[in-house]
Amino acid sequence: MNQENSIPAIVVFDIDGVVRDVSGSYRRALADTVEEFTAQAYRPTADDIDRLKSEGVWNNDWEGSQELIYRYFETQKQSREQVNLDYNSIVDFFQSRYRGTDSNNLTGYICDEPLLLQPSYLNQLSEAGIRWGFFSGATRASATYVLQQRLNLQSPVLIAMEDAPGKPDPTGLFSTLELLKNGVDNIDNTNNSPPVIYVGDTVADMYTVEKARNNQPDGTWIGVGVLPPHVQETAQKRDAYTQSLKKAGAAIVLSNVQELTPEKIHELI
């Protein structure tokens, strides 16, 4: 750690699977969507979705839904051209399950997402001088709902789906850092920046850290993996998921984001 820096580290959090448990919301909506567009012939399991996510390029659940629909029809000897899916219809159906059908109020699966961290944890980071923010592939409305309405955070730094290319492109991570560095004179350049930790639950999140490191090799980039609740049901799933995150570049893998204490952060950097 550079003692001259007033900020010992910057921590950027993914949201889905890190801040909130989306196994019964985003993932459920994904499975509903695939089932709907395959005429109830195929509903992906949690393992099916994990296998797709492990490829590192399906961070967007709308695109993931479309891909699983295509793959099902390919097993039925139909080409993607023959299937002729309408992406906007997929998005609309997904959102009707995730957000609900009331355009003025959230009534869907999003309302029942368990929280995986508490505001008091973020206060601990702030008290230790650690800056923090969020970079997520969730829509801004969805991310804002959990951060501001559920966690009662006041104007948190957030880069959401609409603000940057999808992961593992690191552009959104860089944008989050610029917002977090705003107003701090001694970290305006890369060579004098504090270490950056990105906390995520997918292979794509860890690949994002790797691409950031390749893009800005003078900085210190650390990927921290978090096991989403649905993979902690059995030791086998837990171990396999842990290994996939480590293989993708995670420095450590935690069972819950709140294990990334200020003390743990100092150990990492």
Side-chain angles (χ1 to χ4, degrees):
M1 180 181 128
N2 185 346
Q3 298 295 335
E4 295 178 358
N5 285 337
S6 59
I7 299 176
I10 293 176
V11 180
V12 181
F13 299 97
D14 181 30
I15 292 177
D16 301 333
V18 175
V19 174
R20 60 182 172 189
D21 180 2
V22 295
S23 57
S25 55
Y26 266 122
R27 284 169 168 264
R28 184 179 175 190
L30 190 160
D32 287 354
T33 303
V34 175
E35 187 174 44
E36 173 72 13
F37 283 85
T38 59
Q40 284 68 53
Y42 169 55
R43 182 179 182 84
T45 65
D47 288 344
D48 292 338
I49 297 170
D50 283 340
R51 277 191 290 271
L52 182 77
K53 296 280 187 181
S54 71
E55 295 174 16
V57 293
W58 303 107
N59 193 65
N60 182 315
D61 285 330
W62 301 336
E63 294 175 357
S65 299
Q66 177 178 253
E67 181 64 17
L68 285 177
I69 296 164
Y70 274 136
R71 291 185 187 186
Y72 164 76
F73 283 110
E74 286 175 339
T75 68
Q76 306 303 303
K77 310 303 181 187
Q78 294 186 49
S79 69
R80 298 188 178 215
E81 291 73 22
Q82 288 174 299
V83 178
N84 193 29
L85 288 176
D86 178 50
Y87 181 69
N88 289 331
S89 295
I90 291 172
V91 172
D92 289 344
F93 182 85
F94 184 107
Q95 292 295 82
S96 74
R97 295 303 176 98
Y98 181 67
R99 290 176 57 87
T101 55
D102 185 341
S103 59
N104 297 315
N105 298 287
L106 295 173
T107 58
Y109 300 155
I110 187 175
C111 299
D112 301 318
E113 294 169 331
L115 296 175
L116 300 174
L117 64 71
Q118 298 301 319
S120 57
Y121 164 71
L122 297 172
N123 291 337
Q124 289 176 19
L125 299 185
S126 296
E127 289 168 4
I130 297 165
R131 288 206 169 190
W132 48 268
F134 303 90
F135 166 41
S136 172
T139 63
R140 176 161 284 274
S142 171
T144 299
Y145 172 75
V146 68
L147 297 179
Q148 296 191 4
Q149 292 186 235
R150 298 285 307 281
L151 288 170
N152 295 315
L153 302 180
Q154 301 300 312
S155 303
V157 168
L158 167 67
I159 295 294
M161 176 192 285
E162 299 90 336
D163 306 318
K167 292 177 278 189
D169 188 308
T171 302
L173 180 57
F174 295 148
S175 299
T176 310
L177 295 176
E178 287 306 309
L179 292 173
L180 289 169
K181 292 177 182 180
N182 188 35
V184 182
D185 293 335
N186 67 335
I187 59 171
D188 285 343
N189 59 76
T190 302
N191 291 332
N192 198 35
S193 289
V196 176
I197 296 173
Y198 186 50
V199 187
D201 70 314
T202 67
V203 167
D205 294 328
M206 299 304 105
Y207 285 171
T208 301
V209 177
E210 180 182 1
K211 288 181 178 293
R213 187 180 298 116
N214 291 339
N215 188 285
Q216 296 186 8
D218 291 335
T220 299
W221 305 92
I222 302 168
V224 170
V226 173
L227 296 173
H230 76 275
V231 305
Q232 299 191 49
E233 295 167 358
T234 68
Q236 183 179 10
K237 283 186 179 181
R238 178 191 182 94
D239 292 346
Y241 206 93
T242 297
Q243 289 309 310
S244 70
L245 291 177
K246 286 186 174 179
K247 186 177 179 181
I252 57 171
V253 177
L254 307 174
S255 298
N256 177 271
V257 61
Q258 295 181 135
E259 295 172 16
L260 187 66
T261 60
E263 292 76 21
K264 179 66 71 175
I265 289 168
H266 284 292
E267 289 176 18
L268 286 170
I269 62 177

